[in-house]
Amino acid sequence: MTQTLPPIFLAAVKDLLGPRGWTQEPEKLDAAATPWRGTYKGETPLIARPASTAEAAALVKLCAQHGVAMTPQGGNTGLIDGGTPHGEVCVSMTRMTALRETDPFNNSLTIEAGATLVSAQAAADAAGRLFPLSLGSEGTATIGGLISTNAGGVAVLRYGMMRDLILGLEVVLPSGEVWDGLSGLRKNNTGYDLKHLFAGAEGTLGLITAATLKLFPQVQRASAWVICASAEDVVKLLALVRGRVGDSVTSFEIIPGNAVDMVVADIPTARDPMPSNAPWRVLMDISQTDGAYARSLLESALEAAMEEGLIQDAVIAESETQAKSFWHIRETIPLSKRAYGAALNQDISVPVSRIPVFIEACNAAVRDVLPTADFVIFGHVGDGNLHYSVVEALDAASPQLKAKEAAITRVIYDTVMAHGGSISAEHGVGRLKRDELARLRPPAATDAMRAIKRALDPQGIMNPGRVVTV
């Protein structure tokens, strides 16, 4: 339910932010309350768009004074109902996009929360450096949102999650006080490391306004498309490649054969790089400062894998264009699932070594609930993150997936936990996974999270109802 805004609060916000800093136009309110997939719907009485940290702090202070709840929003590309307002004021960060500083000698840059990921990548590139986070929505997803959800992407294997790429943060606390933690230090043992408290908090503990990010040397990549007979072989292949080339392995993606067929049928420009009846594909990148050396490492690893019988065939991209065509297939899988009548999508993780047995056990458990279920299982096998989708044929005689969604979800989550995994690998918790997580997580962890939330946000006005209830 949309909260009623006190007239004195609304007048103060309009005066603070000026005509460009707020809107109540119905079409814009509707857009802010509709996530990009459109799978659920929210509502908001106001979009507030601060243009500076000072304005953001004054806005939050007004909300605290009047008991007005707010939902921070970046690019609105989330998947777990974390940044979609449900009656709260929508605090859009789209006017705070400045690149504040680039320091190539410290391998860092400081950038505001509303800047897109692609703009951070471009700023790093202009400085002769690399910001390695990479994901499908990088042209829209914002730095603040990526930090708030602790985003992953395709290069976690080498560079880590978003929280691993942060050196410092600037955050407006729920009181309106600003914590300036924009340090470029890599060593700082002066008590609690607050930046990690806000990374992954999904806006429930404060409003991120800027970040200092780690940069790395620029690299050149060699990419290969590989055919494997089993998930076991995929996991063994990862171990072999990492054993031979170490952290040069940047990405290692598992793709099922049915997903390739699905993309090729759905996207006219997509082409199967190596048609095969085998059930699994691997898309891997090896990166080095020298591209020729990266390719030689990849060739050597694939030759060894072929000798050990872990791969059936492989092709190495001969150009950047060909490499992009490999990745186009991988990145189009989520969109191409529209070919099915219904899909239940889960972002989960299990230890890498458990991936084969998990897939077998979870598929069997789901089919106990829905015998006609089919599966599209793909993702970042290098870090144990699978995008596990239960799908139902478009022409199913008696569609049942939607009716059994709750039971199937429970089966998936229970199987994930039985294999030592997590029900959210990189998308976050939001509202969609909040209650299930409370059921599965140790009570001590939930109690600690509630205590932190109450301490920093005693009024409960900062993105209420997400991650944990209080």
Side-chain angles (χ1 to χ4, degrees):
M1 180 182 296
T2 297
Q3 62 186 326
T4 301
L5 302 179
I8 188 172
F9 166 80
L10 192 56
V13 169
K14 292 178 180 180
D15 183 60
L16 168 69
L17 300 179
R20 294 186 58 213
W22 66 275
T23 184
Q24 289 184 302
E25 295 180 33
E27 289 185 2
K28 292 182 179 179
L29 296 181
D30 184 70
T34 306
W36 71 278
R37 276 188 174 174
T39 50
Y40 47 86
K41 184 73 174 177
E43 55 185 339
T44 182
L46 172 72
I47 299 173
R49 302 176 64 232
S52 67
T53 301
E55 283 189 1
L59 171 65
V60 173
K61 187 169 290 186
L62 279 172
C63 288
Q65 289 172 349
H66 294 275
V68 173
M70 70 200 90
T71 293
Q73 188 176 92
N76 201 16
T77 58
L79 296 169
I80 39 74
D81 201 3
T84 301
H86 286 267
E88 304 89 1
V89 168
C90 178
V91 181
S92 169
M93 301 304 292
T94 52
R95 294 177 73 198
M96 292 190 63
T97 61
L99 174 65
R100 295 188 185 177
E101 181 186 27
T102 304
D103 187 345
F105 294 105
N106 192 52
N107 282 310
S108 64
L109 66 80
T110 300
I111 194 166
E112 291 185 338
T116 61
L117 172 55
V118 73
S119 68
Q121 294 168 340
D125 186 66
R129 298 293 186 268
L130 168 72
F131 183 64
L133 187 71
S134 179
L135 38 79
S137 60
E138 58 193 28
T140 307
T142 63
I143 296 301
L146 293 165
I147 294 169
S148 292
T149 55
N150 187 30
V154 300
V156 171
L157 181 61
R158 179 165 184 175
Y159 297 102
M161 300 281 283
M162 187 64 181
R163 72 165 69 249
D164 301 306
L165 303 175
I166 303 168
L167 291 173
L169 293 179
E170 178 184 82
V171 182
V172 179
L173 302 178
S175 63
E177 181 183 5
V178 177
W179 170 55
D180 182 357
L182 289 175
S183 169
L185 297 174
R186 284 166 171 76
K187 283 189 172 181
N188 183 1
N189 275 350
T190 53
Y192 305 136
D193 195 344
L194 295 180
K195 64 179 180 290
H196 289 304
L197 190 61
F198 297 101
E202 300 182 33
T204 61
L205 302 179
L207 176 65
I208 296 171
T209 50
T212 300
L213 305 175
K214 294 179 184 177
L215 302 183
F216 297 83
Q218 290 184 330
V219 295
Q220 295 179 319
R221 298 185 180 184
S223 302
W225 183 270
V226 182
I227 308 296
C228 289
S230 68
E232 289 87 351
D233 286 347
V234 171
V235 170
K236 290 177 182 178
L237 175 63
L238 172 62
L240 181 148
V241 175
R242 295 197 77 185
R244 295 184 70 90
V245 305
D247 286 340
S248 293
V249 187
T250 304
S251 302
F252 197 95
E253 301 286 301
I254 188 171
I255 303 169
N258 67 334
V260 179
D261 295 339
M262 178 182 70
V263 170
V264 170
D266 185 52
I267 307 298
T269 57
R271 183 182 65 85
D272 187 343
M274 186 173 288
S276 170
N277 292 324
W280 297 103
R281 314 290 186 271
V282 169
L283 174 54
M284 74 172 83
D285 281 354
I286 304 294
S287 61
Q288 286 283 329
T289 54
D290 183 313
Y293 182 47
R295 183 183 176 94
S296 69
L297 289 175
L298 181 56
E299 288 175 343
S300 175
L302 291 176
E303 288 173 1
M306 186 72 77
E307 290 175 1
E308 293 196 17
L310 297 179
I311 64 178
Q312 294 188 349
D313 210 343
V315 59
I316 298 176
E318 296 295 339
S319 65
E320 182 67 21
T321 299
Q322 188 176 18
K324 286 181 178 179
S325 73
F326 294 172
W327 278 101
H328 179 60
I329 291 176
R330 162 62 182 87
E331 292 167 352
T332 310
I333 293 172
L335 180 64
S336 292
K337 277 186 291 187
R338 62 191 173 191
Y340 286 93
L344 173 59
N345 305 307
Q346 297 293 345
D347 161 54
I348 59 91
S349 64
V350 295
V352 173
S353 59
R354 302 290 296 171
I355 285 176
V357 67
F358 165 77
I359 291 175
E360 182 178 356
C362 201
N363 288 2
V366 169
R367 283 190 168 132
D368 284 342
V369 179
L370 181 63
T372 58
D374 200 357
F375 305 91
V376 177
I377 304 167
F378 64 102
H380 323 302
V381 71
D383 52 53
N385 178 194
L386 297 176
H387 299 299
Y388 185 95
S389 297
V390 183
V391 295
E392 189 171 56
L394 191 62
D395 59 354
S398 180
Q400 300 178 60
L401 179 56
K402 287 297 182 183
K404 296 186 176 183
E405 184 171 310
I408 293 171
T409 298
R410 177 61 60 89
V411 162
I412 295 171
Y413 288 173
D414 287 347
T415 309
V416 167
M417 299 306 292
H419 287 80
S422 170
I423 67 170
S424 176
E426 63 178 359
H427 294 164
V429 178
R431 287 160 53 103
L432 295 186
K433 295 189 175 185
R434 179 196 64 204
D435 295 339
E436 277 294 318
L437 189 59
R439 178 180 73 89
L440 297 168
R441 184 173 47 211
T446 299
D447 290 344
M449 291 174 69
R450 285 176 173 153
I452 294 169
K453 171 69 172 173
R454 290 176 183 137
L456 291 180
D457 184 18
Q459 291 180 273
I461 60 172
M462 190 63 71
N463 215 16
R466 280 72 170 185
V467 183
V468 66
T469 57
V470 293

